Amino acid sequence: MTTRTSTDGARDIPEATVARLPVYLRALVTLADQGTTTCSSEELATAAGVNSAKLRKDLSYLGSYGTRGVGYDVEYLRYQIARQIGVTQDWPVVIVGIGNLGHALANFSGFRSRGFRVVALLDADEHRHGETVAGVDVRPFDDLDRMVREHGVAIGVIATPAAAAQDVADRMVACGIRSILNFAPIVLAVPDDVDVRKVDLSIELQILAYHEQRKANGADAVVPSVVPESVEQGSTARGGAA
Amino acid sequence: MTTRTSTDGARDIPEATVARLPVYLRALVTLADQGTTTCSSEELATAAGVNSAKLRKDLSYLGSYGTRGVGYDVEYLRYQIARQIGVTQDWPVVIVGIGNLGHALANFSGFRSRGFRVVALLDADEHRHGETVAGVDVRPFDDLDRMVREHGVAIGVIATPAAAAQDVADRMVACGIRSILNFAPIVLAVPDDVDVRKVDLSIELQILAYHEQRKANGADAVVPSVVPESVEQGSTARGGAA
DNA sequence: TAGATTGTTAATCGATTAACAATC
DNA sequence: TAGATTGTTAATCGATTAACAATC
């Protein structure tokens, strides 16, 4: 392995920063679409929903792409961020599980516009085979291997029910996929060198519910602390929640 | 406002912990379904995909629900976490935007099983009105007010295209909704007392792409540093990325 | 009692923020 | 030059982790 030869100062970008770069990228695209050619860190930060100190700190990990006293060139910064994230190149993606969610994902324009190309739709249910979604045929799950090889797929999306997800992940890993976006509500077990990101709809709602409950209970107890009989403590647990 | 009278020691639970409680809850449900009645922090942590130190620290914010030398009673801990999150109560939810994603959300069983009840499906497109999804009629967006009042909706889900999302959010806020789950790829502007959580599919893929690119480039430069003519710097930017 | 495991402490690590010197 | 804004420093804050005393 040769030493890296990046031309900018970027070495290790903190995870929190990596997660915000796509937000900045989107804000820059919006600004460009509006005809804005230059923006300050303050303007870009507002568009991205963060404060300007954080924005400048984040951008400083990429290099020095602004001009003091002036701001940032929108197109230039946009390109630099896109390059760092890797969305200047083409990413072939496979989606497994073509239910409602799989359909939504296959049709999602935000993928294509950012270099993600859905090259295969796979489903274990043969009733779905032959259907075409967003111009791509739905094929048997067993075609995974071939699709990954033929198209050089590096990213897999799992949109199956929870019960099937681990199996799908195992097969993806066996095919050489090392980046997985998982929509199934289950913790996947994968080797260390495989990245899994999880999108969990019910967890997001539960986090909202927690905060909503706190808002609603400003004038009252945290929660009605009645332990229903069905969950009364087992032998090891202590006194009730009076 | 009366002082809070919670019976446990829980006061302010850190955000990072709040985000993990639903994961623990799911792991406990899975364990219970398998017939497990007691588990150690180590077992539960493994099931949840975290380390046991973090799990115990997280649980310590809720109170003291384990037994030293023994572990946790699965049903009892499950109830305590559900109560803290607020999913022992019923949360009426409205979904706006009944495209593929809206359909997927309306049909998602993970909502109902955690106390989230979809009471209204709204769409601005009148071609969708009258359709029934998961047993709920699709109605005009203008019914929002009435639905929120009639059902006591506290949580709104936005599954519209980006262009419509801010409008929808404004209307939701005007109706008194203070918790929003947003699937539209746009930064929403809302008052301070409104919680917005964002699920952004293309951002998740971009984060994966960033890491995938780093893996692939172990033996090479970080990125092919060629600046295409179309994005050559404007007047303010400095030298090329040679 | 001896063994096991929790709940908590304290150290470490990483992220955020404000402030300002550098500089266009 | 004077005004504006970046890039960076240093302080603060919050999250993670390891270790262990408390205790079942």
Side-chain angles (χ1 to χ4, degrees):
Chain A
M1 260 192 236
T2 320
T3 331
R4 291 209 188 148
T5 55
S6 78
T7 50
D8 42 48
R11 216 45 47 162
D12 256 8
I13 302 180
E15 267 309 302
T17 298
V18 170
R20 283 188 294 264
L21 291 180
V23 181
Y24 303 152
L25 181 57
R26 173 173 295 145
L28 286 165
V29 171
T30 305
L31 287 172
D33 287 349
Q34 293 166 354
T36 307
T37 58
T38 299
C39 68
S40 66
S41 63
E42 194 64 44
E43 292 169 296
L44 182 53
T46 301
V50 301
N51 70 49
S52 65
K54 191 186 277 182
L55 174 83
R56 289 199 301 280
K57 184 81 172 137
D58 283 340
L59 294 184
S60 76
Y61 292 111
L62 308 188
S64 182
Y65 297 124
T67 307
R68 288 166 204 242
V70 178
Y72 302 92
D73 181 275
V74 170
E75 280 301 329
Y76 183 62
L77 183 58
R78 171 186 173 177
Y79 172 73
Q80 292 300 341
I81 292 179
R83 184 173 63 88
Q84 283 286 339
I85 300 176
V87 293
T88 48
Q89 68 189 89
D90 185 70
W91 293 101
V93 168
V94 57
I95 300 177
V96 179
I98 316 300
N100 281 312
L101 181 59
H103 272 87
L105 297 173
N107 282 308
F108 182 47
S109 62
F111 285 172
R112 178 140 225 153
S113 70
R114 274 166 198 82
F116 300 101
R117 192 160 45 89
V118 176
V119 296
L121 302 175
L122 307 177
D123 201 297
D125 180 356
E126 59 185 21
H127 291 99
R128 294 212 171 101
H129 300 158
E131 189 190 348
T132 299
V133 181
V136 180
D137 286 345
V138 178
R139 299 165 166 283
F141 178 53
D142 284 335
D143 287 7
L144 180 65
D145 248 304
R146 193 158 60 80
M147 289 292 135
V148 169
R149 266 184 288 110
E150 281 180 11
H151 294 100
V153 171
I155 299 177
V157 176
I158 301 179
T160 64
Q166 183 63 58
D167 255 20
V168 173
D170 292 344
R171 291 282 296 272
M172 283 181 170
V173 171
C175 294
I177 289 179
R178 284 180 300 172
S179 297
I180 296 176
L181 182 55
N182 177 35
F183 287 88
I186 190 183
V187 176
L188 293 179
V190 296
D192 278 350
D193 66 332
V194 177
D195 261 322
V196 175
R197 292 196 65 88
K198 197 172 95 181
V199 175
D200 195 315
L201 312 178
S202 97
I203 283 182
E204 296 300 325
L205 272 193
Q206 288 176 70
I207 295 170
L208 281 178
Y210 172 83
H211 292 294
E212 183 67 32
Q213 176 180 244
R214 298 272 145 157
K215 288 179 199 166
N217 287 331
D220 207 328
V222 167
V223 201
S225 289
V226 184
V227 179
E229 307 219 350
S230 61
V231 291
E232 246 170 43
Q233 321 80 297
S235 54
T236 61
R238 73 235 70 327
Chain B
M1 262 194 236
T2 318
T3 332
R4 290 209 188 148
T5 56
S6 76
T7 50
D8 42 48
R11 218 41 50 162
D12 256 6
I13 303 182
E15 266 308 302
T17 298
V18 170
R20 282 188 294 265
L21 291 180
V23 181
Y24 302 153
L25 181 57
R26 174 173 294 146
L28 286 165
V29 171
T30 305
L31 288 172
D33 287 350
Q34 293 167 356
T36 308
T37 57
T38 300
C39 69
S40 66
S41 63
E42 195 63 44
E43 291 169 296
L44 182 53
T46 300
V50 301
N51 69 49
S52 65
K54 191 185 278 180
L55 173 83
R56 288 198 303 277
K57 183 81 172 136
D58 284 339
L59 294 185
S60 75
Y61 292 110
L62 308 189
S64 182
Y65 297 124
T67 307
R68 289 168 203 242
V70 177
Y72 302 91
D73 181 277
V74 171
E75 280 302 328
Y76 183 62
L77 183 59
R78 170 185 173 177
Y79 172 72
Q80 292 299 340
I81 292 179
R83 183 173 65 88
Q84 282 286 340
I85 299 176
V87 293
T88 47
Q89 69 189 88
D90 185 70
W91 292 101
V93 169
V94 56
I95 300 177
V96 179
I98 315 299
N100 281 312
L101 181 58
H103 271 88
L105 297 173
N107 282 307
F108 182 47
S109 61
F111 284 171
R112 178 138 225 155
S113 70
R114 274 166 197 81
F116 300 101
R117 192 161 44 90
V118 177
V119 296
L121 302 175
L122 307 177
D123 201 297
D125 181 357
E126 58 185 20
H127 291 100
R128 294 213 171 100
H129 302 159
E131 189 190 347
T132 299
V133 181
V136 180
D137 285 346
V138 178
R139 299 166 165 282
F141 178 53
D142 285 334
D143 287 6
L144 180 65
D145 248 306
R146 193 158 61 81
M147 289 292 134
V148 169
R149 266 185 288 109
E150 282 180 11
H151 294 99
V153 171
I155 298 177
V157 177
I158 301 180
T160 65
Q166 183 62 58
D167 255 20
V168 173
D170 291 345
R171 290 283 296 274
M172 283 181 170
V173 170
C175 294
I177 289 179
R178 285 180 300 172
S179 296
I180 295 175
L181 182 55
N182 178 35
F183 287 88
I186 189 183
V187 177
L188 293 179
V190 296
D192 278 351
D193 66 332
V194 177
D195 261 323
V196 175
R197 291 196 66 89
K198 197 173 94 182
V199 175
D200 195 314
L201 312 177
S202 98
I203 284 182
E204 296 300 325
L205 272 192
Q206 288 176 69
I207 296 170
L208 281 177
Y210 171 82
H211 291 295
E212 183 66 31
Q213 176 181 243
R214 298 272 145 158
K215 289 179 200 165
N217 285 331
D220 207 328
V222 167
V223 201
S225 290
V226 184
V227 179
E229 307 220 349
S230 60
V231 292
E232 245 170 44
Q233 321 81 296
S235 53
T236 60
R238 75 234 63 354

